[in-house]
Amino acid sequence: MLKTGKQHTESLRDGRQIFIDGAEVNDPTEHPAFRNAVASVANLYDFQSSQENRDLMTFEIEGSGGERANRIWQLPKSHADLVERRKALEAWTELHGGFLGRAPDHVASCIAGMYMGLETFEAYDKDRAGALVDYYRYARDNELYLTYVIINPQADRSKGANEQQDPFLTAGVVDQDSEGLTIRGAKMLATGGILANEVFVTCIQPLKEGEEPYAISFTIPMNAKGLKILSRTSYEASAKSVFDNPLASRFDENDAVLYFDDVKVPWERVFVNQDTAMCSKQFHATPAHVYQNYQAQIRLMVKMRFLLGIARKTAETNGVIGFPQVRETLGQLASQCAMVDALVHAMEVKGRHHGEYFIPDGHTLYAAQVLTQQLYGTVNTTLRDLAGGGMIMLPSSIADFANPEVREMIGKTQQSPTTTSEGRVKFFKLAWDAVGSEFASRHSQYEMFYAGATFVTKGHAFRTFDWDRCTGLVDRMLDSYGLEDELAKFSTAAE
């Protein structure tokens, strides 16, 4: 049986320690800061478990005798397999418009990518490789929703993790014994952690000699003893209603800092132990980094379509769809949306085999990350420009519609050639929540940095580009003529 929304919701009532607004949360599924987001994730599982979506959303586990799993765990062996998986990820993303940046398909893609590069782990440590194999299968078969924390607290960025005033500001190994590791310190950013079952803990930032205690890779349940979840402010809790904040009220995945208060991690959950080189290799010597960020670009592709829908409906709602300058703007947006779509498809078409598995093209992925980091803010600004004051001059809240006198005035002042006054307000409330609210501002920041700072993504694009092919073209042209030959021709012509 595939996991249902009810089952996932129940799995979050596990005694995890969540702190928000100075208090501990007893049950995140009922708390006003998280309950609607929990319901949104539950909707994903209900969608994938329905009989009508079985073929779209699941695949048959090889050698299982017919058992099926969500395609987020699929290990494609051909271009066709990769495309089928992408269609499932697209369908899931459409349920939240791309606003759940760390939905269950993201970290699942990372773990699956690590598994596809199992030979790298086997060369490092066969026991750690065995732990990875077992965990991949466990997470797949139990349909775990994973988040991850792979960044160290900022603190003094001019110093390494081992040079901070507190050596255990950053989560690291404080002890190890026959049972496993003991971890102390903090990691960020557990986006979606409150909604997830388990967390993958490691470091994607380069580590140097002396930082070995922080060069770790493991998974633990979100209710592990000693794990503290420190939530940021909740946009869901501040939303007055779904009508007023249709996105923030339902899709606030909530970022969190995780603090490890001497958390015990058993060896069967440890994939890398205090090895700086392997900490990097788990991402870049395996398909993991490409596979997880390919998922992120699929999500962004769907999100771009959502934003383009807002752009078109803005023009129609305001009656300016026929203006040449508006069509020009929409044409520019359409071209940008098509570029993201084309890059996702190009990653697949230009994909290659890593052993028996078929993975997306790395350079096309990194090129897409560089370009979309720049693009997202541009698109948001364009949408605001199209809307003008329409996103701002709206009724204060749904309560205004409960007052007959105010509702009558709304009918007179909120007019549109394509919809009712209520329809106009409803649409522009959604548009503002997508591009202008505090929730939207967080998404702008997220799209800028979820893949790393721009110098990081540009560095990936630099290292994976086929420079030899390009410089080879230049060298071929340079080799097609020479100074002495040209001088000889010049001398002959002068005679």
Side-chain angles (χ1 to χ4, degrees):
M1 294 292 291
L2 293 167
K3 188 180 188 179
T4 66
K6 183 178 180 180
Q7 288 170 331
H8 180 71
T9 299
E10 185 59 36
S11 74
L12 302 182
R13 300 187 178 106
D14 59 4
R16 61 188 62 194
Q17 282 194 285
I18 305 168
F19 296 90
I20 187 170
D21 296 327
E24 186 172 351
V25 174
N26 292 322
D27 182 356
T29 70
E30 298 293 337
H31 195 280
F34 314 117
R35 61 192 176 197
N36 289 346
V38 169
S40 294
V41 172
N43 186 45
L44 297 180
Y45 286 109
D46 283 337
F47 181 85
Q48 64 105 34
S49 63
S50 68
Q51 185 62 34
E52 64 190 82
N53 295 321
R54 179 176 179 271
D55 291 336
L56 170 66
M57 293 301 304
T58 68
F59 71 102
E60 186 174 325
I61 301 171
E62 189 174 343
S64 69
E67 293 294 321
R68 302 186 72 86
N70 191 302
R71 287 191 188 273
I72 65 177
W73 299 103
Q74 189 172 2
L75 310 172
K77 295 187 176 180
S78 67
H79 173 261
D81 287 348
L82 190 65
V83 170
E84 286 302 305
R85 182 178 183 272
R86 186 247 301 156
K87 290 178 180 177
L89 269 57
E90 277 188 87
W92 241 19
T93 304
E94 286 175 356
L95 299 180
H96 54 82
F99 285 93
L100 289 178
R102 201 63 56 75
D105 42 344
H106 184 68
V107 181
S109 298
C110 177
I111 299 296
M114 289 165 60
Y115 181 92
M116 286 191 279
L118 188 61
E119 70 283 352
T120 300
F121 284 87
E122 289 176 334
Y124 160 63
D125 185 317
K126 291 194 179 298
D127 288 339
R128 300 305 105 231
L132 174 60
V133 169
D134 290 343
Y135 186 77
Y136 163 78
R137 292 171 179 166
Y138 171 75
R140 177 197 66 192
D141 297 345
N142 290 278
E143 291 201 79
L144 297 184
Y145 176 179
L146 302 176
T147 187
Y148 60 23
V149 281
I150 58 177
I151 301 295
N152 297 334
Q154 288 185 334
D156 186 344
R157 294 292 293 274
S158 69
K159 297 178 179 179
N162 61 326
E163 299 169 326
Q164 300 295 325
Q165 186 174 2
D166 179 355
F168 289 103
L169 167 65
T170 294
V173 178
V174 69
D175 185 36
Q176 72 175 62
D177 56 27
S178 61
E179 295 181 2
L181 305 178
T182 300
I183 307 297
R184 182 185 301 166
K187 294 288 287 191
M188 54 187 273
L189 273 148
T191 300
I194 292 158
L195 315 173
N197 300 119
E198 301 205 357
V199 58
F200 173 44
V201 182
T202 189
C203 188
I204 200 169
Q205 296 161 296
L207 296 171
K208 59 184 184 299
E209 186 178 351
E211 295 182 297
E212 286 80 8
Y214 317 104
I216 46 182
S217 175
F218 62 86
T219 56
I220 55 169
M222 293 300 294
N223 68 341
K225 183 180 179 181
L227 181 61
K228 320 288 186 183
I229 306 166
L230 310 178
S231 174
R232 63 155 164 79
T233 188
S234 169
Y235 308 131
E236 177 181 326
S238 301
K240 295 179 179 179
S241 69
V242 174
F243 187 89
D244 289 308
N245 298 96
L247 301 176
S249 63
R250 295 179 294 171
F251 305 117
D252 183 17
E253 58 193 343
N254 233 292
D255 314 284
V257 170
L258 299 189
Y259 185 77
F260 299 78
D261 188 4
D262 288 4
V263 175
K264 192 72 175 185
V265 182
W267 284 117
E268 60 266 25
R269 293 301 198 100
V270 177
F271 315 133
V272 177
N273 180 27
Q274 302 180 78
D275 189 305
T276 57
M278 187 58 198
C279 217
S280 175
K281 286 180 181 179
Q282 68 178 332
F283 289 110
H284 300 296
T286 76
H289 197 252
V290 168
Y291 208 48
Q292 72 188 52
N293 285 297
Y294 163 66
Q295 177 279 331
Q297 286 297 309
I298 294 171
R299 177 194 59 79
L300 186 60
M301 175 179 70
V302 174
K303 194 175 187 181
M304 284 290 294
R305 294 172 188 164
F306 182 89
L307 295 177
L308 266 287
I310 286 180
R312 171 82 188 207
K313 288 185 72 68
T314 296
E316 291 174 341
T317 302
N318 283 343
V320 297
I321 190 66
F323 289 15
Q325 62 271 36
V326 172
R327 287 179 173 266
E328 179 184 2
T329 297
L330 292 177
Q332 176 70 25
L333 287 171
S335 301
Q336 292 166 329
C337 184
M339 179 193 74
V340 178
D341 187 281
L343 284 167
V344 169
H345 286 75
M347 293 172 212
E348 299 166 352
V349 172
K350 294 175 67 179
R352 62 180 178 85
H353 275 93
H354 181 97
E356 63 180 312
Y357 305 112
F358 190 85
I359 62 171
D361 178 65
H363 177 70
T364 307
L365 163 69
Y366 294 129
Q369 287 187 317
V370 170
L371 296 174
T372 54
Q373 277 182 315
Q374 302 165 9
L375 179 62
Y376 193 81
T378 300
V379 170
N380 265 9
T381 299
T382 303
L383 294 183
R384 294 166 79 120
D385 190 46
L386 273 173
M391 290 184 183
I392 300 174
M393 291 312 300
L394 295 168
S396 58
S397 75
I398 193 174
D400 287 337
F401 286 96
N403 183 315
E405 180 182 3
V406 176
R407 185 164 188 165
E408 182 179 356
M409 287 188 285
I410 291 172
K412 293 178 180 179
T413 57
Q414 298 284 342
Q415 296 189 16
S416 165
T418 60
T419 185
T420 64
S421 58
E422 290 88 348
R424 185 182 192 280
V425 172
K426 182 179 182 181
F427 167 67
F428 275 119
K429 289 276 190 179
L430 171 63
W432 179 249
D433 214 16
V435 303
S437 67
E438 189 174 7
F439 171 84
S441 180
R442 178 263 175 194
H443 271 267
S444 293
Q445 197 76 359
Y446 181 84
E447 301 296 356
M448 285 173 64
F449 290 107
Y450 81 85
T454 55
F455 74 86
V456 173
T457 54
K458 290 173 183 175
H460 291 322
F462 172 80
R463 70 176 174 80
T464 57
F465 187 63
D466 189 353
W467 292 106
D468 290 342
R469 185 176 185 180
C470 297
T471 56
L473 291 172
V474 177
D475 289 339
R476 187 184 308 167
M477 187 64 70
L478 289 170
D479 291 343
S480 69
Y481 60 94
L483 175 60
E484 296 304 325
D485 291 338
E486 291 303 306
L487 280 174
K489 293 176 185 178
F490 179 77
S491 298
T492 300
E495 293 174 356

